[in-house]
Amino acid sequence: MLTRTGLGVLVASVACALLGIAWQYEELLALAAAGAVAVGVALFLARRPARQIARRKLVTARVARADPVRVRYLVTNQTHRRLGPADLTDRFQGAVQSHQVPTLPSMSRHEVEASFDSPRRGIFEIGPMAFERSDQLGLATTSSPLHEIDHVIVHPRVYPLVHSAGAGSVIANDAVLRRPSGDPLAGFQSLREYQYGDDTRLIHWPTSARTATLMVREFVDLRRHEFTVLVDTAEQVSTADDFEELVDVAASVAAFALQSGLHVVVRTTSRVRPGKPAALSSLIDILDLLTPLQQGRGSDVLSMASLFTGGLDGSPVLVVTGPHGPSTPFPRGDRSSIVRIGEGAETTNLTVPAIAANDAAQFVERWAQWT
């Protein structure tokens, strides 16, 4: 493939040939012939395949959004001859990087360190790599593809959140909920007098004999609170950039609730990835659910009410949406709150506790001040 310089030489050679024929100038014909020969030789030399061997090693195959994807390239010359310089190119999320590989002596190697930006979440291909070589005059270049593809997971960024008075209104500080239970495997609480209908297996006979009154053991079921994070995926409520920020917020709040000892449920309005009503057991589960999450429109977006057909059951629910959300009416509960993330987000026209922030970083600041 001709470079701009090579194309210019070719055009100039044709022009010199035409003028030389028209004016019968031998000097112009000689220039035209020299230019044509130079272009031909450049094309021949550039078409030679690259003999270098390149391998890619992902230093960070799983990164948080906006963190660099670090890559190491190992280029080797396994031939018995000296190989000229070349450019090694690689691509990730639409960005193409080129790295110069110097002349390699026989049986030698060269390492290159590089990094790519990761502005979007998802599972992305990195590659393919290619060697680009040109002739000494820079008239022609050729690309030798190296069909080596790797995959990089870019998950949401999890910001550290702190406990605050406002957080207590959304996420309960106590991690257990005490409920009476007849299950003898539940936690023992106390003894009380027997009442009609009590399970006779719960009678504590030694105490009953000592007090001359039937006494039964009372148990409580120690259950953790359940906290739900709901992500609004509708396109009309946020831009693509704002959506990345609000997913970071959802991941950060869910991780904070999980660290607080709560059962965390993550739901989305995406028909493809709505999440499950069951609690997630680890941060990896939260990130794996939110990593491939994308915006949708029309029938691709579920209504929020359809995700809570059984009611809210008194559990706290935090709706994370864009500056124009929520996209559909949310079944109001005593412990529901809304977070609006995006440029120009405000809490106006909301009758439930809410936070508005331009991005995830600002949300972290306002979360700590929320009262």
Side-chain angles (χ1 to χ4, degrees), residues 56-65 67-72 92-93 114-116 118 120-126 149-155 288 291:
R56 179 199 305 112
K57 180 181 179 181
L58 293 176
V59 181
T60 51
R62 184 185 182 104
V63 299
R65 189 182 70 86
D67 281 352
V69 178
R70 296 173 54 204
V71 185
R72 181 180 296 117
F92 177 72
Q93 286 199 29
S115 63
F116 289 89
S118 57
R120 292 284 186 268
R121 291 168 300 103
I123 302 175
F124 300 96
E125 290 185 348
I126 179 170
I149 302 293
D150 290 312
H151 291 83
V152 176
I153 299 175
V154 182
H155 61 71
D288 286 346
T291 293

Side-chain angles (χ1 to χ4, degrees), residues 296-359:
R297 63 174 63 184
S299 60
D300 295 333
V301 179
L302 301 172
S303 67
M304 295 186 181
S306 66
L307 299 173
F308 298 92
T309 54
L312 299 181
D313 192 28
S315 300
V317 179
L318 186 70
V319 180
V320 185
T321 183
H324 309 295
S327 57
T328 58
F330 179 72
R332 181 177 178 181
D334 294 335
R335 306 181 69 186
S336 61
S337 305
I338 293 178
V339 173
R340 283 178 172 170
I341 301 296
E343 190 67 30
E346 298 179 351
T347 58
T348 55
N349 303 325
L350 294 177
T351 58
V352 297
I355 301 180
N358 291 332
D359 52 31

Side-chain angles (χ1 to χ4, degrees), residues 7-20:
L7 185 60
V9 171
L10 181 61
V11 171
S13 298
V14 173
C16 288
L18 294 177
L19 293 176

